[in-house]
Amino acid sequence: MTAHVKPKALENFKARDFRMLIDGAWTEGTGQPIERIAPGHGIVVSRYPAGSKGDAERTIAAARKAFDDGPWPSMTGAERSNILLKAADLIAARADELAFLDCIESGKPISQAKGELGGAVDIWRYAAALARDLHGESYNTLGDGTLGVVLREAIGVVSIITPWNFPFLIVSQKLPFALAAGCTTVVKPSELTSGSTLVLGEILIEAGVPAGVVNIVTGTGPEVGAPMTTHPDVDMVSFTGSTGVGRLTMANAAQTLKKVSLELGGKNPQIVFPDADLDAFVDAAVFGAYFNAGECCNAGSRLILHTSIAADVTARIADLAKKVKVGDPLDPATQVGAIITPQHLAKIGAYVDGAAKAGASVALGGAALDLGLGQFMAPTILSGVQPDMAVAREEVFGPVLSVLTFETTEEAIRIANAIDYGLSAGVWSRDFDTCLTVGRKVRAGTIWMNTFMDGASELPFGGYRQSGLGRELGRHAVEDYTETKTLNMHIGARTGWWMPR
Ligand code: NDP
């Protein structure tokens, strides 16, 4: 672990003031701006307008007008694709600036933030390709008198609401696909990490996205986000965040029967059999638990280890976890950065204390780390966790790994499935049958076999049960932002109902 020193990069740092993007114009808010204090450095780094309900309504009106009258939905797929490709190039050109903003606002390590920007550029390019390939179906099998054509049409105005843990990556899992389909959008980033999304607004204008097609409104969820989920002029809500707010979003959207796409929490198990490549697994366990300080919906926060290897493997994970470099998010060598807010750090601590009271043992860490500025949490391992403990069932969203054990394959599957979430899971064995049996029985949207938290723009991502609704990424992602329309066409003389001809 490194001692915290105020980094050189912030010595002459001046907080950046942002504005919102409404109908192609950069707009100040009316109230006091929201100040973001860097979680790893304790200083104000950004100020965003505190948008109001009225601001949200103005952005929705702009997006509605741009959809109903504007050129975007009528452009060819190739035209939209070229603009998205230009946006991808501009994102790549400004990747260091965007990664810096994500790093200081969220507290994630700078090397990781740069990696996320690389992934985001790839997603924008992938969505650009799909813009040209969006198509429906035709039925030439309905007899000589009928031709059926099924169109895919842009669904309309989409509200996009994102969380703080992967600010630029998550907006990139939504926005380019909505744009590829021809939708117009209102985007609300988290009030804690709005900077990179606002820079994206500049990029999209430069790339040639017409005014009103992408609007970005900043502010709090209840003030700005809620109207984006209820307003009758919004056709769809794409939300990533906590399961609680996801549930509220769905209830709000139900008032006007909007389509919803939800990416929510996870409590993802890694099931490990004695014949697995345990060296590879130990590395993946540490990565899965501590990547992004565990503030990750995909975190591998539950290990389900075969009893015969549990003690040895837990000790090996602890040995490796001790070497993980926790520290200044701007230090290129840092692997685990800061915790998003002091309140969230307290919540993580309460989970650890609760688990200890319930009978789990703290095998590593268990407490906050004082590095001088900001808030940090030590990589933590809890052993002897039972499936019914809160720490085994609820999303901690911090660097806390719970270790459970199993005797039989059936028991491992039962423990894995005995929670409300179903986002992802890992299975480790050199036996093909074991991997496939477990992979097919565990109810989760992604199953990793002998790896963990790998991804690609081509592969759909989303959850079963209370982890969400719908899928992002993959070739069907763009279809999520469409309506289906049937053209039922009659050919030749029509047989009348009243007056047979
Ligand atoms: P929240 O659910 O608190 O917030 C997510 C977004 O929703 C924020 O922009 C927030 O605004 C907004 N919001 C809050 N209240 C409302 C409301 N009443 N109406 C509309 N929008 C609202 O999640 P966090 O930001 O705290 O992110 C962490 C959570 O996100 C974790 O639980 C994690 O599991 C989940 N997550 C899931 C992912 C997935 O793909 N499955 C990926 C990443 C995170 P604001 O905070 O600005 O007030």
Side-chain angles (χ1 to χ4, degrees), residues 161-166 170 188-192 219-222 225-226 229 239-243 245-246 248-249 252 263-266 297 395 397 423 461 467:
I161 301 175
T162 57
W164 44 259
N165 56 346
F166 294 95
I170 289 178
K188 191 205 100 59
S190 163
E191 72 191 90
L192 302 174
T220 69
T229 64
F239 171 88
T240 296
S242 60
T243 293
V245 179
L248 179 66
T249 295
N252 282 344
E263 298 294 344
L264 309 175
C297 53
E395 191 177 46
F397 230 55
L423 189 59
F461 169 65
S467 286

Side-chain angles (χ1 to χ4, degrees), residues 462-484:
Y464 279 39
R465 295 178 288 164
Q466 294 190 33
S467 286
L469 207 60
R471 295 290 179 270
E472 297 191 329
L473 304 177
R475 58 188 289 270
H476 299 295
V478 72
E479 291 179 359
D480 229 30
Y481 295 98
T482 65
E483 278 281 15
T484 300

